Amino acid sequence: MDEEQFKKFDWSLIFICIFIFAAGVTNLYSATYTEFVGHGLRFWQSQLIWFGIGSAVSVVIMLVHYKMLSRVAYPIYFANLILLGLTLVVGKATLGSRRWIGAAGFYIQPSEFMKLSAVLAMAKYFETERVTSGYKLRELLLPATMILVPVGLIIMQPDLGTAMIVMLTFISMMLFIKIDRQSLIIILVVFGTAAYPVYRFGLKPYQRQRLVSFMNPMSDAKGSGYNAIQSMIAIGSGQFSGKGFKKGTQSQLNFLPEHHTDFIFAVFSEEWGFLGDLVLLALYIFFFVKSLNIAYVSHDKFGTLLALGIIMIFFWHVFVNMGMVCGILPIVGVPLPFISYGGSSLITSLIGIAVLTNISNKRFMF
């Protein structure tokens, strides 16, 4: 890339990412400045290290043309599938679940990377399978199976939140391809019919109780409804301008559980108030608008589908996390991109930004 190309390079997504991450790591410092993640590192310090690792990987991805990803889409998908299987066997057991795999204190969460792997595989499949009259059920059977297999493995961990994000992303991508009307009706009927059996037999008792507590948190205020109640108290106490940096009582006094991961937005709302929430939402909206424009101007099917899939991953994360923290959605355990603590989640987000930036600047790639 010469000097002229460097000047024309679109850095907007990278800058948005840095702004949101800066707000996130500052918020993480406030929420956990007396807590340690291990090895003498505080949570915010560990997050900075993960950001450095993710940034290095992202630079490598931006140095090659994104179409190279089409050639390795299936190998990446199947490699990630193997990691998911291994996680169930030799993964680190924590609080009754097996979601991490690794050794010597270095662990990754394969289900996080499966989000991108699945999108990559779907973009590759629909790039190759060209249908003019609309996809029928037989043509959707293979991609649906490719999604349901990892979703099943993730549910077995168990990790309902991540499994739901993978499914929602797949469904969102399906809305952008042409599906035969009759096939679409059949799909809707099947999903509608399967809803109750999945609820009754597919969910664990504590997951079903979360849905009940969502409708009425006070029904189990000291149990399954506790998180939602404390979260709403934190958000409401922030009022318009917030209580100020490191002055949030719900997080500082440890009333708010998982205040560094799933409920980090409640900490942000308590300290920065409605005004701070508007600024954060504005950054996310700017990100989505810019990303959708990248998908729109992409001149090839693979690039468009890949961009749309990545956008949907971010969208559903933001929508579900903020929704559950505010009490308008059930609590399923979904991190807020660039705000919540988590190495695998942060690296996945950075890779997503790198791929979108690559698509946007395709004319400058090798």
Side-chain angles (χ1 to χ4, degrees), residues 112-125:
E112 285 290 335
F113 299 109
M114 179 49 76
K115 299 169 188 175
L116 284 178
S117 300
V119 166
L120 191 58
M122 291 301 100
K124 173 65 176 179
Y125 177 84

Side-chain angles (χ1 to χ4, degrees), residues 65-84:
H65 199 290
Y66 71 89
K67 286 187 177 180
M68 292 288 292
L69 295 174
S70 177
R71 302 178 185 178
V72 295
Y74 291 146
I76 290 176
Y77 167 83
F78 285 112
N80 208 156
L81 202 61
I82 292 172
L83 282 177
L84 281 178

Side-chain angles (χ1 to χ4, degrees), residues 75-101:
I76 290 176
Y77 167 83
F78 285 112
N80 208 156
L81 202 61
I82 292 172
L83 282 177
L84 281 178
L86 288 174
T87 302
L88 293 174
V89 180
V90 298
K92 180 183 178 182
T94 305
L95 299 176
S97 63
R98 291 185 181 271
R99 303 179 186 178
W100 293 269
I101 188 170

Side-chain angles (χ1 to χ4, degrees), residues 55-227:
S55 298
V57 175
S58 298
V59 169
V60 174
I61 292 175
M62 287 191 291
L63 287 177
V64 297
H65 199 290
Y66 71 89
K67 286 187 177 180
M68 292 288 292
L69 295 174
S70 177
R71 302 178 185 178
V72 295
Y74 291 146
I76 290 176
Y77 167 83
F78 285 112
N80 208 156
L81 202 61
I82 292 172
L83 282 177
L84 281 178
L86 288 174
T87 302
L88 293 174
V89 180
V90 298
K92 180 183 178 182
T94 305
L95 299 176
S97 63
R98 291 185 181 271
R99 303 179 186 178
W100 293 269
I101 188 170
F106 182 83
Y107 292 91
I108 61 170
Q109 190 173 350
S111 59
E112 285 290 335
F113 299 109
M114 179 49 76
K115 299 169 188 175
L116 284 178
S117 300
V119 166
L120 191 58
M122 291 301 100
K124 173 65 176 179
Y125 177 84
F126 289 109
E127 174 200 31
T128 306
E129 298 294 325
R130 300 184 181 276
V131 176
T132 57
S133 59
Y135 288 91
K136 299 184 183 298
L137 283 178
R138 63 178 179 273
E139 292 151 349
L140 294 173
L141 184 60
L142 179 58
T145 302
M146 292 175 65
I147 291 297
L148 291 175
V149 170
V151 164
L153 292 174
I154 294 170
I155 290 177
M156 290 171 64
Q157 293 181 353
D159 186 355
L160 181 61
T162 302
M164 184 180 68
I165 294 295
V166 175
M167 278 300 301
L168 288 173
T169 301
F170 173 68
I171 294 171
S172 300
M173 291 181 73
M174 294 304 97
L175 295 177
F176 289 96
I177 66 172
K178 188 177 181 181
I179 300 178
D180 176 70
R181 181 178 297 180
Q182 183 178 0
S183 299
L184 181 60
I185 293 174
I186 294 174
I187 292 172
L188 293 175
V189 170
V190 170
F191 270 96
T193 306
Y196 179 75
V198 169
Y199 168 80
R200 184 67 180 85
F201 304 106
L203 300 182
K204 293 183 178 296
Y206 78 90
Q207 292 171 330
R208 291 197 296 270
Q209 184 58 44
R210 283 182 178 180
L211 295 177
V212 174
S213 298
F214 159 65
M215 302 301 297
N216 182 17
M218 295 306 296
S219 64
D220 189 14
K222 294 183 178 180
S224 59
Y226 179 82
N227 292 6

